[in-house]
Amino acid sequence: MLDTLNPSQREAINYLDGPLLVLAGAGSGKTRVIVQKLAYLVEKCGYSPRNIAAITFTNKAANEMRERVGKLLSGKDAKGMTICTFHALGMQIMREEAGLLGYKKSFSIFDTADTGKIISELLGAPDKQDIRLAQSIISNWKSGFVSPEEAEGHAKNEGEQRIARLYARYQETLRAYQAMDFDDLIRLPVDLFNQFPEALLRWQQRLRYLLVDEYQDTNVCQYQLMKHLAGARASITAVGDDDQSIYAWRGASTANIQNLQKDYPNLKVIKLEQNYRSSQRILQSANFLIKNNTKLFDKNLWSEHGVGDQVRIFAAKDEDHEAEAVVLKLLAHKFEYRTRFADYAILYRSNHLSRIFEEQLRSQNVPYTVSGGTSFFERAEIKDLVAYLRLIANPDDDPAFIRAITTPKRGIGNTTLEKLATYAGTRNISLFEAAFENAMEQQLAPRQHEELIIFCKFINRMQVRAEKEECTPVLNDLMSAIDYEAWLYDSHEPRQAETKWANVTDFVGWINRKSTADEKTLLAMTQTIALMNLLESREEETDAVSLSTLHAAKGLEFGHVFMVGVEEGVLPHQRSESPEQIEEERRLMYVGITRAQRSLQISYCNKRRQGKDWQSCEASRFIKELPADDMTFAGAQPSGSTPEVSKDEGMAKLARLKAMLG
């Protein structure tokens, strides 16, 4: 099992004498180390799979680990092993222990749209930016384990003090709905373990060895959860790279590496510095850049992939010139080396930079994908309709109940829902079930109670039909009954309403066609829709250029990378002022550089449009921190740089093209 590993990887897998921090440089095979260690714990160390947990940050990473461990151990041997995200683990803990904190086991999990609605109501219908700001600040407080009572002491200004007061009311509303938001899935288990030592002991006995992936991305709350579970035994391996910590804006804390050293004085540190991805010149650029950051541990990435091409620095006249030059360079390179479109990525600091590259790629008929775009199933109008389908399939789905009964509005407001939620919480039943109880009739005004019962009886009728009848007539009658089209046009601008209704029509048409082809009822189709995200992530990779933000590209690799818009005010971002913020931006640049396997071009503009005016731009300070000997400069020449292309290079390139054409 261990024969194909390098000495550092082997040491990281074998080490079991105490807490371990594996500092895994970019492309150093960290997933392989985690997967092999999971198998090693079962096969060589006698651990039962159900006593091991590997915790990561994305479902994709967890699925990949699960698949690879399943291959190393026979599927049976791997059964029972916990391989999941922090949030999935938190949910599992809360499902089992919810009663201790006064929640029912079937509590609801609210997404950003659900929590946005609550905050909007509490703020008094503000604009979307205010809602997003409140969500972000409350999320960061929860990640930092700041309670509603402590929040005012952490507020930096009057606006944040207002949000601090809102935070307590927001939590009360969630509690009334028997619901948790995403951050509660980590915060509440930590609360639970602080209050109930017997619950903590149960989980410590269940999870006897912890592996934590992407450790540099943990926030204060996640660190507390990890520390609780590890307990005095401290059987833990944390794997991460302090040079790739780029999520401070969502609560990740680089101090967690120092916390490990402080809380575990016998911590063993192993560095993985051999890179299996990039050429030496690309790694040299990354090493030179990151040395400018203050660091706890120095790493020096190296590879056996050879010296490789020089890193090309390209100065464009403006953004049109940059986009045109990048796409033409990409096409020429693809033609010369007979590569695939999927071998190329265009990476940028901010989403707004993608538009002009999309236009250029479309004009050259180049297929491309954009990461971080809104999934069709994430659109509000689709989620509205899916809420009805979820509720018809499962009346105990409280978030679906709340979304469906309030969209379109039908005379049932927050006061009615809060009374319903409070009563349902005391009876430990769903909102739907609570609506039919006699006690509820006493608590509500006759008009509100009548509206509530009319809605619930309508859902019951649709459920009976959805189980037996063909999908198309049931769905068409549902759409007609809720009159969603009229509501869209009443509550949105005409053009926006038209776009949203077209999306709904497409969605309804797709369900009807698919249900007919597969001979499925509406209930069966609802289950199919619930699997859509899983199905989407399993689609075969298409041969297309990747357009991505630097944040979204973390963890990926491409043969040839174009980093664009590398200018002061863009990267580093104009809002990055403190030394800590500049260091985070430098790590973001480092992440971009280390995505490249064979070639890397970094470009910037000499001027850029700001509204109707032109703004002069300056190359990012990070470009000046790269090793000059490994660079070649092209475009508008910075002073003291080398010529764009030497005569010998030009002749060699021409000869290669002639040979290909010949």
Side-chain angles (χ1 to χ4, degrees), residues 385 389 392 458-459 461-481 508 512 521-523:
L385 183 51
L389 303 184
I392 290 165
F458 164 68
I459 295 296
R461 288 197 303 278
M462 296 306 295
Q463 186 178 38
V464 171
R465 290 184 60 194
E467 282 174 352
K468 300 172 183 171
E469 297 179 30
E470 286 183 9
C471 178
T472 302
V474 180
L475 187 53
N476 289 347
D477 287 351
L478 171 70
M479 294 306 297
S480 174
V508 169
N512 286 336
T521 63
L522 186 58
L523 286 189

Side-chain angles (χ1 to χ4, degrees), residues 322-347:
E322 182 183 37
E324 184 183 8
V326 163
V327 172
L328 291 179
K329 169 85 175 164
L330 187 156
L331 288 170
H333 190 281
K334 182 182 184 297
F335 173 72
E336 186 177 350
Y337 294 96
R338 301 187 181 189
T339 49
R340 300 167 66 238
F341 284 119
D343 294 329
Y344 298 88
I346 299 171
L347 308 181

Side-chain angles (χ1 to χ4, degrees), residues 84-97:
C84 65
T85 63
F86 267 103
H87 292 92
L89 178 63
M91 186 183 75
Q92 194 182 332
I93 293 167
M94 289 310 299
R95 291 271 185 228
E96 293 189 29
E97 311 287 354

Side-chain angles (χ1 to χ4, degrees), residues 38-49 52 73 77 81:
L38 290 170
Y40 181 75
L41 288 167
V42 174
E43 290 206 323
K44 304 291 182 189
C45 308
Y47 277 87
S48 164
I52 300 169
L73 302 167
D77 289 341
M81 195 180 284

Side-chain angles (χ1 to χ4, degrees), residues 32-262:
R32 192 176 184 200
V33 167
I34 293 169
V35 167
Q36 294 272 22
K37 187 152 192 170
L38 290 170
Y40 181 75
L41 288 167
V42 174
E43 290 206 323
K44 304 291 182 189
C45 308
Y47 277 87
S48 164
R50 65 189 180 83
N51 293 142
I52 300 169
I55 312 168
T56 186
F57 275 81
T58 65
N59 289 320
K60 185 181 174 187
N63 291 337
E64 185 190 347
M65 269 185 216
R66 209 174 289 117
E67 209 170 288
R68 286 168 66 170
V69 172
K71 284 177 185 168
L72 277 181
L73 302 167
S74 64
K76 188 180 174 187
D77 289 341
K79 202 173 177 191
M81 195 180 284
T82 299
I83 301 177
C84 65
T85 63
F86 267 103
H87 292 92
L89 178 63
M91 186 183 75
Q92 194 182 332
I93 293 167
M94 289 310 299
R95 291 271 185 228
E96 293 189 29
E97 311 287 354
L100 290 174
L101 289 179
Y103 286 86
K104 59 180 184 179
K105 287 188 189 297
S106 58
F107 62 84
S108 302
I109 298 165
F110 277 11
D111 64 13
T112 311
D114 294 322
T115 60
K117 275 190 174 179
I118 295 172
I119 286 170
S120 175
E121 295 280 351
L122 293 174
L123 283 174
D127 64 30
K128 286 181 181 174
Q129 201 170 343
D130 286 345
I131 295 170
R132 280 197 295 267
L133 180 65
Q135 283 177 312
S136 171
I137 289 170
I138 290 172
S139 175
N140 281 339
W141 279 334
K142 288 188 177 188
S143 299
F145 207 60
V146 176
S147 69
E149 297 74 34
E150 297 164 331
E152 280 207 58
H154 286 74
K156 299 187 186 89
N157 52 47
E158 198 179 316
E160 287 195 8
Q161 281 180 341
R162 186 184 175 208
I163 293 168
R165 291 190 290 275
L166 171 102
Y167 180 11
R169 291 161 59 215
Y170 168 74
Q171 277 308 111
E172 286 162 15
T173 308
L174 280 180
R175 187 64 174 248
Y177 288 153
Q178 282 287 301
M180 299 176 194
D181 64 18
F182 207 51
D183 298 300
D184 285 335
L185 295 176
I186 312 293
R187 187 183 67 88
L188 289 173
V190 176
D191 260 349
L192 174 89
F193 291 152
N194 284 337
Q195 291 180 48
F196 299 97
E198 68 277 15
L200 175 58
L201 187 61
R202 269 197 296 277
W203 284 90
Q204 286 174 342
Q205 287 172 341
R206 184 185 304 190
L207 303 178
R208 294 180 167 273
Y209 202 99
L210 290 181
L211 283 102
V212 180
D213 186 22
E214 301 286 11
Y215 176 74
Q216 77 283 346
D217 293 338
T218 54
N219 58 40
V220 171
C221 233
Q222 287 159 337
Y223 180 72
Q224 290 293 329
L225 180 61
M226 184 192 87
K227 195 176 152 197
H228 274 309
L229 290 171
R233 190 168 50 229
S235 297
I236 183 167
T237 294
V239 183
D241 182 5
D242 48 340
D243 293 333
Q244 294 188 72
S245 179
I246 56 173
Y247 292 113
W249 50 277
R250 67 178 192 201
S253 173
T254 48
N256 280 349
I257 288 180
Q258 288 171 298
N259 290 336
L260 262 188
Q261 288 185 301
K262 184 175 86 228

Side-chain angles (χ1 to χ4, degrees), residues 370-475:
V370 183
S371 75
T374 305
S375 155
F376 185 74
F377 292 91
E378 286 299 306
R379 296 176 194 275
E381 59 273 21
I382 303 304
K383 289 177 84 169
D384 287 343
L385 183 51
V386 168
Y388 280 90
L389 303 184
R390 277 168 45 188
L391 188 60
I392 290 165
N394 172 23
D396 290 334
D397 186 333
D398 284 0
F401 178 91
I402 290 164
R403 188 165 192 133
I405 204 166
T406 55
T407 315
K409 293 198 181 302
R410 47 174 57 78
I412 297 167
N414 265 14
T415 308
T416 303
L417 287 175
E418 279 176 33
K419 284 180 182 175
L420 184 64
T422 304
Y423 177 76
T426 59
R427 294 273 290 111
N428 204 24
I429 56 177
S430 70
L431 300 174
F432 190 89
E433 194 178 337
F436 287 102
E437 299 219 337
N438 290 333
M440 235 17 262
E441 189 173 357
Q442 316 305 318
Q443 293 185 32
L444 295 177
R447 173 74 193 277
Q448 272 68 44
H449 184 257
E450 186 186 357
E451 290 283 359
L452 187 62
I453 295 300
I454 287 171
F455 174 78
C456 293
K457 285 182 173 175
F458 164 68
I459 295 296
N460 276 338
R461 288 197 303 278
M462 296 306 295
Q463 186 178 38
V464 171
R465 290 184 60 194
E467 282 174 352
K468 300 172 183 171
E469 297 179 30
E470 286 183 9
C471 178
T472 302
V474 180
L475 187 53

